[in-house]
Amino acid sequence: MAKRSSKKDLKTADLQSYTTDAANQFMTTDQGLKMNDDHNSLKAGDRGGTLLEDIILREKITHFDHERIPERIVHARGSGAHGVFRLTKSLKQYTKAAFLTDTTQETPVFVRFSTVAGSRGSTDLARDVRGFAVKFYTTEGNYDLVGNNIPVFFIQDAMKFPDLVHAVKPEPDNEIPQAASAHDTFWDFISLMPESTHMILWVMSDRAIPRSLRMMEGFGVHTFRLINEKGAACFVKFHWKPVLGVHSVAWDEAQKISGKDSDFHRRDLWEAIEEGRFPEWDLGVQIIPEKEEHRFEFDLLDPTKLVPEELVPVQIIGRMTLNRNPDNFFAETEQVMFSPAHLVPGIDFSNDPLLQGRLFSYTDTQLSRLGGPNFHQIPVNRSVNTIYNNQRDGHMQMQINKGKAAYSPNSIGGGCPFLSREAEGGFTSYAERIDARKIRGRSKSFLDHFSQAILFYNSQSAPEQQHIKDAFSFELSRVTIPEIRQRMVNTLTNVNRELAQYVASRLGLPVPKKVMPVTNGAIPADGLPKDYNPVKKNPPVKKSAALSMAQVKSGTIATRCIAVLAADGTDAAMVMELKKKAGAKGAKIKVIAPRLGALKASDHSIINADETLFNTASVLFDAVYIPGGAKAIEALLAEPDAIHFVNEQFRHCKAIGAAPDAAPFIQNTFVKEGAGISLNGNVDRFLKDLGLHRFWEREMERKVPA
Ligand code: HDE
C-alpha cells in the first residue's frame, strides 16, 4: 500500500488557509453574526406572515437561490483528486522546465477525470471518451496537461468542435439521449467526417468503457514542443500509463452499472484514495527531434494520428500518485479550471490547428462558467507563486493590490513589477521560423484518414475486434435514418471489409463487397477543392501492441473487489482463507448474503454480511467466490438472485471460484469449466485468474442470457 506523504506540499498548505471546519463552532450568518435560531423564520405572530425584516431567512434563501453555476459545455461530469508528481528521470537535455528536470522536486497536482457528452449528473459508465486533466502546481507557475484517455481526436481543426459537440450532445428538440452517442445527429456528423474514422474506432472499442478511472491511460493527444536551456526544441507526445494496467468492462455490464450505481467510477476513485490505495500513473514521453518532423508518413500536427510506440518508444520519466480526496466537491472539482494555454518555460505549443483553437477556448468558457476574469484566484486554481501584474478589478477580486501604478512602464511604482530575463525564468515563445501565406484551408498531409484506423483495428485481439463490431452494430441500430447507417458502413469498408460486412449484416443492410468511396461531407458538390477528400496510405506499422488492452495487463489484483456469496452455514474457514490471501495481495472481499447482519457460519462463528442480494449487483464486482457449506448452498439455491449473480459474472467473463461442495449450486448456473473458472476450491488459482481481469474468449463460445 502506498504511503501518504507526511511532508505538506506547497499547494496543500496554500489550500489549508482557505479551508474551514465547523466542528465545535457556533453557527454564524455570512456577516459573522452568531445565530440563535436557524429553524424558524421571523413572523408577525405565531401564525402570521413572514417579515421582510428577516435578514436571516433572506440571506439563507438568497444564497441558496444562487448556488448553481453553469456546468462545463463538455466534460461536465467529473471526479477530482489531489496528488503529487515525482520526477525520476531528468529531461534536462530537452527542456528547461524545472518540474521535468529537477528530480528532487515533488510537484503537487490536481487531477480531474471526466466523461465528455453527459451532464453533471449523468452516469459514469457512458460509452465516451474520458478527460484526463492534470494541473501541475510548479514553482514556475501552473502547467496544465489537459488530455484524454484516447490518444487521438475526432476532428483536425478547432473550427469543427462546436459542430462535433452539437452533434453528440442530446438532440436539441427533445434533449434525448443523455450521455450517449447512439443517436441520429452524432452518426450523421461522423458519417460525413471521414477524419473521425480513427477516433471512432477507439470510441467503439472497450477503451470507452473503463473498469476504473484508475485503470485507464492518459494522453496529451497533440504534439507539443520542449525547449532546453540552449533554446533548442524537439517535439513531444505525453502519455500516462496506469500502474494497475488498462482494463474495461463489458458493454452489457456498463449499461447495467449505469442503473445500479451511476457513480461507479467516482466512488471507486474516492474509496481507493480513502483506503490509502493510491492510484498511480507513470508519465511517459515520446521525443521526436525537430529535424525528424517530416520523418513519418503522417503529419505530427494532425491530432487524428498517434506516433506508434514501435517507431518512437515511450520513455518513463516520473510517477503521479493521487493521495488526497478533495474536501469539497464544488470548491475544488467543480471550480477547477484547466487550460492547455497554461504553460511553463521549457514547454511550448505546436501548430496543431486543434490545439491552437483550444488555447482560446478554455479561458473564454470560464468567463461565463465562473463569472468573470478572476477565476485564477479561486484556491484550487491559484498558482503557488504570488501573482504580480497590472491586471485589476473585475468580479470577485480577492487580491488587494497595493500602490498607485497599475501600468507599465511606470516610474511611480519604481518600475514594478519587473519583467524577467529569460535567464531569470521569463517565459518566451519559441521563435519558430514562419514563412507562409495566410490561408483558410487544410494541409494535404492531413488527408489520410484510414491508415491509423486500420492499424488500430489490426492491433486488437479477436475478442476486442468483436467488441468493436458489436459496438458499431449497437450504436448504428439506434440511428433511425437508414442513409446514415449506410454511410457509416461505407466508411468502415475503408478500414476492414469484414468489420463493415458484420455491421451491415447486423443492421439488415446490403453487405458491401468492395471498398466504398467516402467523401468529406463538408465539400459542396459544386465547387471547393476536391482534394479535401480522403487519400489512402498504408499504416505506419502493421500492428502495435500498445494499442491493444489485451497486451497491457498488469497481473495485479490490488484494489479489486471480490463478491463472496454466503448464507447461514457458510464454510468460515474458506472465507477466512480467501480474505487473508486476497488481502495480502491488496484485493478486498465483500460478503453478500440473502440478508444483512450476522450469519452463523458452519463452525458457529459469525460472518457479517456487507451487502445483500437485493441491494447490490454482480456488475459491481470483479469476481465471485462461492465457499462451501451444505446449508448455505441450499439457501443460495433457493435465491434466484444468487443464480443470476453468478450467471452474470460468467457472462461478463470474470473469474469465478467455488468450493467443491458448492457443486449443486454451480450446476444450476450456466458456469462450466474453462479459463477463469476454478471449481475445486483452489483460492490461489482463483486469485491468479482475477489478475488476468477478464476471459473474453468465453463469450466467443456461447452467450449467457443473464
Ligand atoms: Fe476540450 N474543452 N476542447 N479537449 N477538454 C473543455 O473547457 C475544446 C479537446 C478536455 O476537467 C472546455 O473548462 C475545444 C481535446 C478536457 O475541467 C472547453 C476543442 C482534448 C476537458 C473545451 C477541445 C480535450 C475539456 C469545457 C477543440 C484532449 C475537461 C469546459 C479545439 C487533448 C477539463 C472547460 C476539466 C474541457 C474546448 C478538444 C480535453 C469548452 C474548442 C483534443 C480533459 O473550453
Side-chain angles (χ1 to χ4, degrees):
M1 195 200 299
K3 286 244 154 54
R4 197 178 284 250
S5 172
S6 54
K7 200 165 77 181
K8 216 166 266 157
D9 64 57
L10 278 176
K11 189 62 200 173
T12 309
D14 176 54
L15 288 173
Q16 254 164 20
S17 58
Y18 295 93
T19 308
T20 59
D21 184 350
N24 299 320
Q25 302 296 335
F26 288 115
M27 187 184 283
T28 68
T29 65
D30 280 344
Q31 303 306 317
L33 178 70
K34 275 191 201 157
M35 282 162 61
N36 169 264
D37 185 345
D38 169 54
H39 295 258
N40 301 294
S41 53
L42 190 67
K43 302 177 192 78
D46 273 356
R47 302 179 60 249
T50 302
L51 300 179
L52 186 60
E53 182 196 313
D54 190 348
I55 50 167
I56 297 192
L57 173 75
R58 275 196 286 127
E59 182 192 86
K60 188 171 180 178
I61 298 276
T62 307
H63 198 280
F64 169 75
D65 288 344
H66 297 271
E67 69 189 25
R68 296 278 174 277
I69 61 169
E71 65 175 32
R72 289 165 175 82
I73 306 282
V74 279
H75 296 265
R77 170 138 187 109
S79 306
H82 294 274
V84 62
F85 171 69
R86 297 185 181 95
L87 187 73
T88 47
K89 182 179 170 193
S90 171
L91 281 186
K92 201 169 175 51
Q93 187 188 347
Y94 304 110
T95 177
K96 58 186 173 188
F99 83 108
L100 294 179
T101 52
D102 180 356
T103 50
T104 63
Q105 277 198 17
E106 292 194 354
T107 307
V109 296
F110 186 82
V111 178
R112 184 174 178 273
F113 303 107
S114 46
T115 52
V116 179
S119 295
R120 244 187 87 174
S122 57
T123 172
D124 281 343
L125 262 290
R127 175 178 292 285
D128 202 351
V129 188
R130 300 297 185 287
F132 193 130
V134 182
K135 187 181 286 297
F136 294 85
Y137 302 96
T138 89
T139 50
E140 297 175 302
N142 289 347
Y143 172 65
D144 293 355
L145 184 53
V146 197
N148 280 342
N149 76 328
I150 291 181
V152 289
F153 203 62
F154 293 99
I155 48 170
Q156 296 175 319
D157 192 309
M159 194 72 148
K160 299 312 295 167
F161 191 66
D163 301 282
L164 166 71
V165 174
H166 290 172
V168 72
K169 281 275 185 179
E171 298 189 5
D173 48 357
N174 55 14
E175 183 109 336
I176 298 175
Q178 180 54 245
S181 51
H183 59 110
D184 286 356
T185 54
F186 178 68
W187 288 100
D188 186 25
F189 178 78
I190 296 294
S191 65
L192 293 168
M193 294 288 286
E195 70 199 57
S196 304
T197 311
H198 186 195
M199 176 72 170
I200 202 68
L201 267 119
W202 281 80
V203 177
M204 292 302 114
S205 81
D206 294 344
R207 297 270 179 163
I209 39 173
R211 155 65 182 84
S212 160
L213 301 170
R214 304 174 290 124
M215 297 172 201
M216 59 184 205
E217 288 178 298
F219 302 92
V221 177
H222 313 280
T223 301
F224 291 89
R225 268 200 177 85
L226 295 179
I227 297 109
N228 69 13
E229 285 289 352
K230 295 186 189 128
C234 63
F235 292 106
V236 64
K237 291 266 188 190
F238 290 106
H239 295 245
W240 291 109
K241 302 226 176 225
V243 171
L244 294 176
V246 189
H247 300 291
S248 71
V249 298
W251 177 230
D252 175 67
E253 192 184 359
Q255 293 174 85
K256 289 171 176 166
I257 294 174
S258 292
K260 296 287 183 184
D261 183 4
S262 59
D263 302 308
F264 186 69
H265 283 159
R266 180 178 285 180
R267 190 186 310 282
D268 166 274
L269 178 70
W270 179 274
E271 286 181 355
I273 295 174
E274 285 304 295
E275 289 164 8
R277 305 207 176 271
F278 300 142
E280 293 190 304
W281 285 261
D282 286 328
L283 179 62
V285 288
Q286 285 176 298
I287 303 277
I288 300 133
E290 215 178 20
K291 60 178 186 313
E292 292 185 14
E293 180 175 0
H294 303 294
R295 168 184 155 196
F296 309 101
E297 281 283 289
F298 52 89
D299 196 325
L300 273 183
L301 302 184
D302 174 357
T304 66
K305 304 293 181 300
L306 51 84
V307 179
E309 294 189 22
E310 287 70 18
L311 299 185
V312 181
V314 174
Q315 312 173 37
I316 299 301
I317 58 163
R319 183 166 279 196
M320 174 170 78
T321 307
L322 299 184
N323 55 18
R324 191 166 72 80
N325 277 318
D327 287 311
N328 184 286
F329 184 91
F330 180 85
E332 300 176 80
T333 309
E334 191 57 19
Q335 290 201 108
V336 66
M337 77 75 76
F338 295 90
S339 171
H342 293 169
L343 273 195
V344 289
I347 308 182
D348 212 331
F349 315 120
S350 69
N351 292 333
D352 173 342
L354 193 70
L355 172 61
Q356 294 280 322
R358 292 179 73 202
L359 300 180
F360 163 72
S361 175
Y362 288 66
T363 30
D364 181 48
T365 198
Q366 309 305 334
L367 295 175
S368 48
R369 200 173 76 81
L370 296 172
N374 290 317
F375 46 78
H376 61 282
Q377 298 182 12
I378 294 172
V380 69
N381 292 328
R382 281 167 46 94
S383 161
V384 291
N385 293 342
T386 308
I387 308 302
Y388 302 104
N389 58 35
N390 295 318
Q391 267 103 262
R392 288 290 183 274
D393 310 343
H395 279 290
M396 307 294 167
Q397 176 60 256
M398 301 287 152
Q399 205 159 309
I400 303 169
N401 301 112
K402 286 174 81 163
K404 285 183 195 301
Y407 52 88
S408 173
N410 69 62
S411 63
I412 291 179
C416 296
F418 303 123
L419 296 174
S420 8
R421 294 186 189 89
E422 233 183 300
E424 292 166 321
F427 175 77
T428 55
S429 287
Y430 178 62
E432 184 187 359
R433 192 182 168 79
I434 295 174
D435 176 15
R437 281 183 197 285
K438 199 192 290 181
I439 61 146
R440 190 179 289 284
R442 204 165 292 199
S443 166
K444 282 207 168 65
S445 56
F446 276 43
L447 299 183
D448 153 35
H449 303 320
F450 305 124
S451 66
Q452 293 211 354
I454 295 171
L455 167 64
F456 179 74
Y457 191 72
N458 289 348
S459 302
Q460 306 301 304
S461 65
E464 285 173 314
Q465 288 188 341
Q466 185 58 44
H467 290 176
I468 294 173
K469 289 176 184 164
D470 289 340
F472 272 111
S473 306
F474 174 91
E475 294 262 322
L476 292 171
S477 72
R478 294 288 178 108
V479 168
T480 64
I481 301 167
E483 290 76 15
I484 297 178
R485 293 188 214 135
Q486 185 64 59
R487 275 205 303 266
M488 255 341 281
V489 168
N490 291 354
T491 300
L492 294 181
T493 59
N494 290 274
V495 179
N496 183 289
R497 206 93 59 80
E498 201 224 324
L499 164 66
Q501 287 170 341
Y502 182 93
V503 175
S505 70
R506 298 289 299 269
L507 297 175
L509 291 173
V511 174
K513 296 267 180 314
K514 57 179 178 52
V515 177
M516 304 300 286
V518 172
T519 53
N520 184 321
I523 298 178
D526 62 348
L528 288 171
K530 287 272 188 288
D531 56 7
Y532 283 168
N533 285 331
V535 298
K536 289 209 123 178
K537 285 193 182 168
N538 289 328
V541 289
K542 283 213 162 72
K543 279 187 178 189
S544 175
L547 305 184
S548 161
M549 286 193 284
Q551 310 270 353
V552 288
K553 289 181 176 171
S554 68
T556 173
I557 65 166
T559 80
R560 293 309 186 114
C561 195
I562 303 165
V564 176
L565 295 194
D568 285 321
T570 285
D571 182 341
M574 285 225 77
V575 178
M576 286 319 294
E577 182 191 349
L578 181 64
K579 199 170 189 169
K580 208 168 137 207
K581 287 185 169 166
K585 292 187 155 88
K588 55 185 177 187
I589 71 166
K590 282 203 172 158
V591 173
I592 297 166
R595 61 166 167 79
L596 269 188
L599 306 172
K600 208 185 228 178
S602 52
D603 62 358
H604 303 295
S605 64
I606 296 293
I607 300 176
N608 274 313
D610 300 303
E611 314 253 8
T612 69
L613 288 165
F614 59 84
N615 80 356
T616 191
S618 116
V619 290
L620 307 179
F621 295 88
D622 292 295
V624 66
Y625 196 87
I626 305 108
K631 200 173 149 217
I633 294 301
E634 206 177 300
L636 289 174
L637 259 173
E639 293 282 348
D641 287 346
I643 307 271
H644 179 72
F645 196 104
V646 173
N647 279 339
E648 224 174 22
Q649 292 273 320
F650 186 70
R651 175 171 184 178
H652 298 146
C653 305
K654 299 176 181 175
I656 297 176
D661 58 336
F665 178 82
I666 295 294
Q667 279 153 17
N668 274 276
T669 67
F670 285 96
V671 176
K672 61 179 172 87
E673 279 288 1
I677 309 287
S678 28
L679 303 178
N680 58 359
N682 184 338
V683 168
D684 297 311
R685 181 174 150 201
F686 167 69
L687 294 179
K688 198 155 177 248
D689 287 344
L690 174 59
L692 296 176
H693 183 60
R694 297 295 169 93
F695 299 85
W696 298 122
E697 331 64 78
R698 194 184 293 162
E699 62 187 3
M700 310 285 268
E701 288 166 25
R702 181 169 72 135
K703 217 168 223 154
V704 173

